[in-house]
Amino acid sequence: MAAFVAIVVYLVLLQTPNLFAAKDEEWKSATATYSKETDGSIVTEGACGYGDLHKISYGKYSAGLSSMLFNRGSTCGACYELRCVDHILWCLQGSPTVILTATDFCPPNYGLSSDYGGWCNFPKEHFEMSEAAFAEISEKKADIVPVQYRRTRCDRSGGLRFTVSGNSRFFQVLITNVGMDGELVAVKVKGSRTGWIPLARNWGQNWQSNVNLHGQPLSFEVTSSSGRTLTSYSVAPANWQFGQTFEGKQF
C-alpha cells in the first residue's frame, strides 16, 4: 500500500511542475540606475517589442537589463524584485523592495569604464529603471546604487494577451501580460483547418511563422520557462484582423 501511494504522489508531482514554478530565488548582487523621462517611465518601446508599456500595464515598473541578464531577449516578461542595499546615503530606510518587469535591453558602452558610465558592460548585472520606480527604493540624487535582486512570481490581472500582426504570408503574435514565470520558451498556434504549428521567436516575446491562418479561429499553446503549458482555445474568432488583441487564459 505504501508503495502504491508513493507512486501516485510521484505521478501527481510529475504532472504539476507549476507547484514549484516561479518561487522567489536567492538574493543576488547588482547595480541600478534610472532613466529620466517626463512621465516617470522608461522608454515607451523597448527591445522586447512590447510597444507602449503603459497600454500593456507594465508602465513605470519596467526595466532595461544588461546583457548578462537580458540573455538575448529570452528573459523578456520576467519579474524581478529589487532592493537598495549597503549605501547609507542613498538607500531608503528599511530597504523597501520594488517588483519590475524586464521590457528592454540596456546596451553596453565599452567607451566608458564599467565602474562609471559603462554600467551595462558585460558581464555586469545591471537594471535601468524608471525614475518613479527608482524613487521607491533610493534617493533620486544617486547616480547608481548597489542593489540585491531575485526572480519572483509575476502577478497579472486578466489573461494572457495575444496581439496578431503580419500579412497573408507571414504570421506574428506578441504575447503580453504573462503571469507566473513571466517569460515564455515555446509557443504554438492552431487554426480550425491546421494542426498545432510551432512558432519561432522573432525577438523578445514576438513569435512568428510563414503561414496563412486568415479565416480560421485561432488557438494558442504556450510553455513557460518552468515547463508549464497553457492552452487557450479559440481565442480569436474566424474574422480576426491583424492589429487586434485577444485575451486568453492565465497561468
Side-chain angles (χ1 to χ4, degrees):
M1 182 64 180
F4 173 77
V5 171
I7 292 173
V8 171
V9 170
Y10 171 77
L11 291 174
V12 169
L13 294 177
L14 188 65
Q15 295 298 318
T16 54
N18 53 297
L19 290 176
F20 307 99
K23 288 187 176 181
D24 292 344
E25 298 179 348
E26 294 296 320
W27 291 103
K28 300 175 183 178
S29 297
T31 53
T33 52
Y34 68 89
S35 175
K36 293 183 178 180
E37 297 289 336
T38 55
D39 62 357
S41 173
I42 63 172
V43 292
T44 56
E45 294 194 25
C48 290
Y50 288 132
D52 191 323
L53 299 175
H54 293 283
K55 287 184 179 179
I56 61 169
S57 76
Y58 297 156
K60 70 178 183 179
Y61 295 107
S62 304
L65 276 57
S66 62
S67 302
M68 193 73 176
L69 296 170
F70 191 67
N71 196 21
R72 298 183 179 179
S74 66
T75 53
C76 287
C79 293
Y80 294 86
E81 184 177 14
L82 265 70
R83 63 186 182 189
C84 181
V85 295
D86 302 329
H87 205 300
I88 192 171
L89 291 179
W90 302 135
C91 296
L92 298 186
Q93 188 174 2
S95 293
T97 66
V98 64
I99 295 178
L100 307 172
T101 298
T103 61
D104 200 7
F105 173 55
C106 181
N109 183 349
Y110 294 114
L112 296 175
S113 166
S114 59
D115 294 327
Y116 193 81
W119 316 127
C120 294
N121 292 350
F122 187 85
K124 298 281 287 187
E125 296 186 341
H126 184 82
F127 294 84
E128 184 181 36
M129 306 169 61
S130 72
E131 183 175 359
F134 187 85
E136 293 188 19
I137 63 170
S138 171
E139 298 289 346
K140 288 193 291 184
K141 294 179 181 179
D143 289 330
I144 182 171
V145 295
V147 298
Q148 289 181 334
Y149 75 94
R150 61 183 177 182
R151 283 287 301 273
T152 190
R153 175 191 175 102
C154 297
D155 292 321
R156 306 296 188 203
S157 176
L160 273 65
R161 295 175 191 145
F162 303 88
T163 302
V164 294
S165 60
N167 55 48
S168 61
R169 296 178 299 277
F170 175 77
F171 178 85
Q172 180 170 279
V173 60
L174 168 64
I175 307 175
T176 59
N177 204 49
V178 181
M180 191 71 74
D181 301 322
E183 57 182 333
L184 301 176
V185 297
V187 177
K188 296 179 182 179
V189 63
K190 182 182 182 301
S192 58
R193 299 190 297 273
T194 74
W196 286 105
I197 302 170
L199 301 182
R201 188 192 298 272
N202 187 314
W203 85 96
Q205 290 301 342
N206 286 274
W207 300 80
Q208 67 176 47
S209 179
N210 295 324
V211 62
N212 186 354
L213 295 170
H214 259 126
Q216 303 178 56
L218 302 180
S219 302
F220 292 95
E221 179 185 283
V222 302
T223 302
S224 69
S225 57
S226 63
R228 185 179 181 190
T229 296
L230 178 69
T231 305
S232 298
Y233 290 101
S234 299
V235 170
N239 63 346
W240 61 268
Q241 299 293 321
F242 290 127
Q244 291 182 311
T245 299
F246 305 95
E247 187 168 337
K249 294 181 180 180
Q250 183 59 270
F251 284 107

